[in-house]
Amino acid sequence: SNMSTDSSHVAAPDTSGRVKRMDCSKVEVRASEYGDGVFAACDIAEGELVEYGLARRLTNVDGNENPYIFTWSDDRTVWAAGSGASTYYNTSEDPNVKMIRFFEEDRFEFIALKAIKKDDELTHVYRSKQWRQCFQELATPAAAATEN
């Protein structure tokens, strides 16, 4: 068979069941000073993909009250549950990962912002920390005044 390595064309979405849609093998959920948290299961380089997964849109929930779901639209009207360890990342003023949300594709990625050592806790900045009721105690007063 002629196996082409040309990737200049856009492939149709894979429905063969062979492409992994989520992977959280580089992280572990453990007890943290903040309850549960996500920790590096191995050393992770700056810029490396830490975890990727799927989001499931939810109905009949209010993310202003429920801290375990994600804001899943720019207009703050859609909420989603994340796969893998995604709901266990704590927030920090000095994060070592960032979450990239692909709203249209209902998927996400966590990327390392700096080199991370095995057993380090992984944190990101909660996108909605300043405006969701359930995160009021985490909001910084100065930032809250400038957010809308």
Side-chain angles (χ1 to χ4, degrees):
S1 72
N2 183 7
M3 297 292 285
S4 172
T5 56
D6 176 36
S7 60
S8 61
H9 68 283
V10 177
D14 182 275
T15 55
S16 68
R18 292 192 299 268
V19 174
K20 241 192 318 190
R21 304 279 323 269
M22 62 169 281
D23 184 352
C24 55
S25 61
K26 295 178 188 172
V27 303
E28 299 172 350
V29 176
R30 304 183 199 154
S32 158
E33 63 181 297
Y34 309 107
D36 290 316
V38 177
F39 293 81
C42 57
D43 289 350
I44 299 169
E46 180 179 348
E48 188 174 336
L49 182 60
V50 175
E51 175 179 1
Y52 63 91
L54 303 172
R56 180 74 73 203
R57 291 171 190 242
L58 303 173
T59 55
N60 301 317
V61 294
D62 185 350
N64 288 300
E65 296 174 10
N66 185 336
Y68 303 112
I69 58 179
F70 293 103
T71 310
W72 209 252
S73 62
D74 288 322
D75 68 2
R76 305 175 180 177
T77 62
V78 181
W79 307 101
S83 65
S86 64
T87 60
Y88 294 95
Y89 287 78
N90 288 306
T91 193
S92 166
E93 296 302 315
D94 184 29
N96 50 13
V97 300
K98 68 177 174 183
M99 182 184 196
I100 302 172
R101 301 160 202 239
F102 299 90
F103 293 148
E104 297 302 312
E105 300 168 51
D106 288 334
R107 66 182 187 88
F108 63 85
E109 297 176 353
F110 283 94
I111 307 291
L113 294 172
K114 53 185 92 169
I116 298 166
K117 291 284 180 210
K118 182 181 188 300
D119 298 320
D120 283 356
E121 183 166 6
L122 305 178
T123 61
H124 70 112
V125 175
Y126 290 174
R127 172 188 178 102
S128 56
K129 185 172 79 166
Q130 297 303 337
W131 56 268
R132 274 167 74 179
Q133 270 177 305
C134 58
F135 296 144
Q136 272 183 339
E137 67 200 38
L138 300 174
T140 48
T146 60
E147 293 274 326
N148 53 26

